[in-house]
Structure formats: C-alpha cells, structure tokens
Amino acid sequence: MKKIHLLLIKAFIRPFIVTFFIVMFILLMFFLFKYIDDLIGKGFEWYTIAEVMVYASASNVAMALPLSVLLSSIMTFGTLGENYELVAIKSAGVSLQKAMRPLFVLIICLAVASFYFSDYMLPKANTKYYSLLFDIRNKKLSFLIKPGVFNNSIPGYAIRVDHKGQGGVDSLYGIIIYDHTASNNGIPKIIIAKQGRMTKTTDGKYMLLKLSDGIRYEESGGGSIYNPRQTLTRMRFKETEVKLDFSTFGDMSRTDESSFRNNAPMLNRKGLDP
C-alpha cells in the first residue's frame, strides 16, 4: 500500500473513533434522560443499571455508525484541504479517486460489519434489553405511576399520587383514581385515599392497589325518564382494594427470554420475512 493510502486511512481512523464514541455517548445520554426517573434511586444495584445501558447502547450502533462516517469524512478531507495536502497528492500524479480507494474499501467493510451486527447481534441484545426492563417493571410496580401527574398507562384508569414512600417505593400517598371502566354516561367513579400500597398477583396479570382512609364518589343517572335527576353516592372506607389489569402492558408475561423473540425488534432478517 502506498504511503498516500496509509496517510488517508490514518487521517480517517482517528476522527472516526473519536466521533463514534462521542455520538454513542450523546445517544446514551438521551436514553438516561428518558429513563433516569425509573432507574436511579429505586433500589437497583449498579450492575443492573450498567447492564441496561450496555444493551441500550447496542441499539444505538446503527444510528451512531453512519453519523460517525459522515463527520469523520468531513473532518478528514477538510483537514487535508486546509493543509494543502490534497493539492500535494494531485501534484504527485495521484488522482483523488485512486487516493480514496482504500477509504472506499474501508467503508464497505464497515457497512458489511454493520449489516451482520444488525442481523445477528442486535436482535439478541434487544431480547436481553426488553426482558431486563420487563423484570424491572415487575420488581418495582410503582414505576408505572409518577408523583404529581395523572398516569393513563392502565386502560380505563387515571391515577395520580402526591408522593411515594421513603421506605418502600411501592407505598403511595395522596391518591386520586378516576375509574372509567364502569362509567355511567361518561361520568367516572372517583376514589380519593390518603395512602395505599401496590402489589402483584402470583400470576403477574393483575396489580392490586390496597387503599386506606379514603372516600369513593359515584354518580349515576335517574332511575326513569320521569325522574332524570342524578344521584351522588359517597362512601367512606377504612380499607379497600382496586384490581388493575396488568396484562395490557404487553403479551410478555414471563421473564424467559424466549417469550420476547416473536416481537419485531428481536427478529433478524429471516425472521422478518413473511
């Protein structure tokens, strides 16, 4: 290989490695900003968080690689042009196309490696990534509810809590629940409780919200057309229980990784073909 080819490859490799890790770091920061409330301060070990970040980084390779090639190419040829090295190469009788041939071969090798990575390694990484998130969600059910905002993740319910307990993250305080599952004329049932606790059934399909010291409001229409007045029922309770359907968060009900392999992000090219 000519010295000119070695010069171009060295000038390309250095900014490519730097820009690749910078882009990966930025994409990983986006992931942390999105899930930091669900991972930090919830009692998980550091290696569990690190494992999630590693699997999340694998899905970012497909986005980071093209950006790194683009930025490093601009930096490489911009630097060569600024230092008049391209002029020196052309004055030596070497055309720009011949000088760029090793870079074309290098980019083609990167493209082939990226294809096989996305076809073989990425589905496995996604399987482990989603299965780990599923395990985290089952371990800490209160991840589904964030303090100070209404959460509509559970169909038919809107749930809001003031804050979570200090001792256990599954303890909730200042709970307001709008139950639309059996609403009459679009009027939901309203449950207000001072505190509650979230637990999971043994089959993992339902989430039990045990409430204490609260009031239930239920409004219904008139009994007949001659008495269209609505009635409001108010019931105080010391303890009650609300059963929420937890199976709607996905078809994956087991932590076994084989349960996740039929989803699109976990399939390779052959698996996606009809």
Side-chain angles (χ1 to χ4, degrees):
M1 184 179 292
K2 297 181 180 179
K3 292 184 178 181
I4 295 176
H5 295 163
L6 290 175
L7 173 66
L8 291 176
I9 291 178
K10 290 181 179 179
F12 176 82
I13 289 295
R14 293 174 182 175
F16 171 76
I17 295 176
V18 173
T19 53
F20 178 77
F21 284 104
I22 290 176
V23 174
M24 287 291 293
F25 176 77
I26 294 174
L27 294 176
L28 188 59
M29 289 300 102
F30 287 154
F31 167 78
L32 287 179
F33 291 154
K34 183 178 180 181
Y35 293 103
I36 189 170
D37 293 335
D38 297 334
L39 297 174
I40 304 301
K42 306 300 182 182
F44 293 108
E45 299 293 340
W46 66 269
Y47 52 82
T48 302
I49 300 176
E51 187 178 0
V52 175
M53 294 174 61
V54 169
Y55 293 144
S57 299
S59 62
N60 296 329
V61 173
M63 294 185 290
L65 193 61
L67 290 174
S68 302
V69 171
L70 175 62
L71 293 176
S72 58
S73 299
I74 295 174
M75 294 172 62
T76 300
F77 290 98
T79 302
L80 293 176
E82 183 179 359
N83 297 329
Y84 299 101
E85 293 180 353
L86 292 178
V87 177
I89 291 174
K90 296 182 70 175
S91 64
V94 180
S95 63
L96 186 60
Q97 291 79 8
K98 290 182 180 180
M100 292 176 61
R101 284 178 184 175
L103 291 182
F104 280 119
V105 174
L106 180 60
I107 296 302
I108 291 174
C109 293
L110 288 176
V112 173
S114 177
F115 171 78
Y116 282 104
F117 177 83
S118 300
D119 195 37
Y120 292 98
M121 299 301 298
L122 187 57
K124 296 180 180 179
N126 284 335
T127 302
K128 295 183 178 294
Y129 169 66
Y130 285 104
S131 62
L132 182 58
L133 284 182
F134 184 75
D135 293 339
I136 291 174
R137 184 183 62 190
N138 279 324
K139 183 179 179 182
K140 303 295 182 181
L141 294 176
S142 63
F143 281 8
L144 302 174
I145 300 177
K146 296 182 179 180
V149 295
F150 278 96
N151 186 283
N152 299 315
S153 300
I154 303 175
Y157 292 91
I159 304 175
R160 181 187 183 276
V161 299
D162 289 338
H163 62 277
K164 298 180 181 180
Q166 297 289 340
V169 294
D170 291 333
S171 299
L172 309 175
Y173 298 91
I175 306 169
I176 301 177
I177 301 176
Y178 287 86
D179 184 0
H180 298 269
T181 56
S183 60
N184 185 16
N185 296 326
I187 303 174
K189 298 179 183 178
I190 303 175
I191 303 175
I192 302 176
K194 292 184 179 180
Q195 61 183 3
R197 186 171 182 84
M198 302 177 70
T199 58
K200 182 172 63 72
T201 57
T202 55
D203 57 3
K205 295 182 179 180
Y206 295 96
M207 181 171 58
L208 301 179
L209 187 57
K210 299 181 179 180
L211 307 176
S212 59
D213 297 332
I215 305 175
R216 180 194 298 268
Y217 297 94
E218 184 174 352
E219 189 173 351
S220 60
S224 62
I225 59 175
Y226 303 103
N227 185 18
R229 292 183 300 176
Q230 295 179 335
T231 59
L232 175 64
T233 304
R234 182 176 61 183
M235 295 177 289
R236 296 183 180 272
F237 58 86
K238 282 293 183 181
E239 290 185 357
T240 189
E241 190 175 273
V242 179
K243 192 174 184 180
L244 308 176
D245 188 3
F246 193 62
S247 61
T248 56
F249 288 93
D251 297 332
M252 311 167 189
S253 59
R254 296 178 298 173
T255 56
D256 187 5
E257 293 181 2
S258 60
S259 302
F260 294 79
R261 292 174 182 172
N262 292 327
N263 294 271
M266 294 78 169
L267 298 176
N268 56 12
R269 181 176 53 88
K270 294 182 179 179
L272 292 173
D273 289 337

